[in-house]
Amino acid sequence: MTGRIIKAIAGFYYVHVVGDGTYACRAKGAFRKEKKTPLVGDIVDIEVTHEGDKEGNVVRIHERSCALDRPPVANVDQALIIFAATSPEPNLNLLDRFLIMMEQHDIPVIIGINKIDLVEDDEVARLKAVYEATGYPMIFYSVKEERGMEALRAALEGKLTTVAGPSGVGKSSLINKLQSEVEMEVGDLSAKIERGKQTTRHTELIPVNEETYIFDTPGFSTLFVPEVEPEELGVLFPEFREPSTQCKFRGCAHMAEPGCKVKEAVENGRISPSRYENYRLFYEERKNTKKY
Ligand SMILES: Nc1nc2c(ncn2[C@@H]2O[C@H](COP(=O)(O)OP(=O)(O)O)[C@@H](O)[C@H]2O)c(=O)[nH]1
Ligand SMILES: [Mg+2]
Ligand SMILES: [Zn+2]
């Protein structure tokens, strides 16, 4: 049988097999000689030792497409970065930090803006305008009023998605909502019971559909400095890439150089001032860090 490791605690790997439930497994395979450790997110082959007790052994780890360090999760397909339209006010500086980090890891990003029930349409339009040129898909929704949820569901379908964002934006509300729908459909209460006793912080994937998993990513909510050379920063802003090929100077930092096409694009309204301002802040931040 083949499944996905959704949780790892005290030497047990919990492997979710579509249609068959979750098996508590030990690592017994040949991969142990190669010092390979199974990770949450891994696709694995298991040997069932006890069907009644849902026990087995992990015997093979399928090749990983990628692995994150913090938290350690393999095969993440994409990140859903959630902010609220208001309450709390969206901190676009923090959002841009998240975006840089995901660009560094080559993880496709979806920007989710929750709580649209609390704002007028022009606030939605304002946020849309800031990120339009970036090419990141944006989904505006309200968990509370169940608006925009179809687009969100479609974006998650068949993927392993890391859900990140500051506290209070509605991450848990969304996860509970998606999960409760699954529970109603398949009558699987085990995940719900597990959720109640989360005293220690370990990463747990939540199956929301056949082959669809999400997980909450703690630790992303603090203000962190992206660890990137200042010279590398520009390429992590997707909307800078095209204009930067036309800058007068090679290696243009898009700061004070003459003939800078990125700055020109900001002046022409093709790059949003908010994004450029954050670029400048990060650039200065990285330059200052480098000095010491
Ligand atoms: N008005 C409104 N409130 C919401 C919405 N989604 C979540 N909330 C509320 O926002 C607060 C924080 O939600 P929570 O899911 O705990 O956020 P988390 O910290 O990101 O996990 C709770 O009081 C929720 O009821 C929404 O779509 N609209
Ligand atoms: Mg939460
Ligand atoms: Zn430039």
Side-chain angles (χ1 to χ4, degrees):
M1 265 199 277
T2 301
R4 170 102 67 171
I5 299 178
I6 60 172
K7 186 165 62 163
I9 308 168
F12 277 102
Y13 299 95
Y14 294 84
V15 178
H16 179 246
V17 179
V18 173
D20 283 299
T22 303
Y23 293 81
C25 298
R26 294 279 186 186
K28 285 276 162 66
F31 58 83
R32 294 187 70 201
K33 290 192 203 84
E34 304 152 34
K35 296 245 176 345
K36 265 171 81 182
T37 317
L39 279 179
V40 170
D42 267 329
I43 315 267
V44 294
D45 292 343
I46 64 166
E47 216 171 58
V48 176
T49 50
H50 202 297
E51 182 56 47
D53 290 343
K54 291 280 182 209
E55 285 172 2
N57 292 322
V58 174
V59 294
R60 186 169 87 88
I61 306 173
H62 291 219
E63 204 182 319
R64 289 171 189 150
S65 64
C66 68
L68 293 183
D69 307 332
R70 286 175 305 168
V73 177
N75 301 316
V76 173
D77 293 308
Q78 60 185 7
L80 171 63
I81 300 178
I82 301 181
F83 276 76
T86 188
S87 182
E89 282 306 296
N91 177 343
L92 300 188
N93 181 282
L94 184 56
L95 172 51
D96 289 342
R97 285 174 202 266
F98 279 143
L99 294 172
I100 287 170
M101 196 165 103
M102 291 304 146
E103 285 291 333
Q104 273 184 302
H105 284 91
D106 263 326
I107 296 175
V109 168
I110 300 162
I111 300 173
I113 306 289
N114 186 28
K115 307 200 190 184
I116 55 165
D117 55 290
L118 298 177
V119 296
E120 302 294 328
D121 290 348
D122 57 354
E123 177 58 8
V124 167
R126 183 187 77 86
L127 288 169
K128 215 178 250 176
V130 174
Y131 291 94
E132 193 123 66
T134 64
Y136 296 119
M138 289 187 97
I139 300 175
F140 294 87
Y141 67 98
S142 163
V143 176
K144 190 180 173 194
E145 295 192 345
E146 298 196 29
R147 280 159 62 192
M149 299 291 288
E150 281 317 310
L152 204 49
R153 257 184 282 266
L156 300 178
E157 184 69 38
K159 302 218 156 109
L160 170 49
T161 305
T162 162
V163 176
S167 72
V169 299
K171 296 181 300 295
S172 300
S173 305
L174 173 70
I175 290 169
N176 289 346
K177 174 100 200 116
L178 294 172
Q179 197 181 21
S180 67
E181 285 163 10
V182 181
E183 281 162 6
M184 280 190 291
E185 271 170 34
V186 301
D188 173 15
L189 290 173
S190 61
K192 194 176 188 174
I193 294 157
E194 283 297 324
R195 207 195 323 139
K197 52 180 184 189
Q198 253 203 9
T199 43
T200 42
R201 278 295 211 169
H202 36 245
T203 306
E204 179 173 353
L205 304 188
I206 297 162
V208 294
N209 207 330
E210 306 271 289
E211 318 274 357
T212 302
Y213 301 87
I214 54 178
F215 68 99
D216 207 341
T217 315
F220 272 20
S221 39
T222 48
L223 208 71
F224 59 91
V225 181
E227 282 182 30
V228 52
E229 295 296 315
E231 296 74 23
E232 300 295 315
L233 201 54
V235 298
L236 302 176
F237 282 68
E239 73 272 47
F240 288 16
R241 283 175 203 147
E242 198 275 321
S244 69
T245 62
Q246 309 294 321
C247 289
K248 186 171 171 190
F249 298 106
R250 258 175 164 275
C252 177
H254 324 306
M255 294 294 280
E257 298 90 338
C260 172
K261 296 294 173 185
V262 169
K263 275 199 297 185
E264 198 178 290
V266 178
E267 278 147 30
N268 295 340
R270 279 180 286 121
I271 288 176
S272 94
S274 158
R275 289 275 291 167
Y276 181 64
E277 221 20 73
N278 284 333
Y279 169 81
R280 292 185 67 95
L281 286 172
F282 298 152
Y283 186 88
E284 295 292 354
E285 229 172 74
R286 294 314 296 166
K287 271 280 191 231
N288 291 334
T289 318
K290 240 185 128 176
K291 274 187 214 145
Y292 308 106

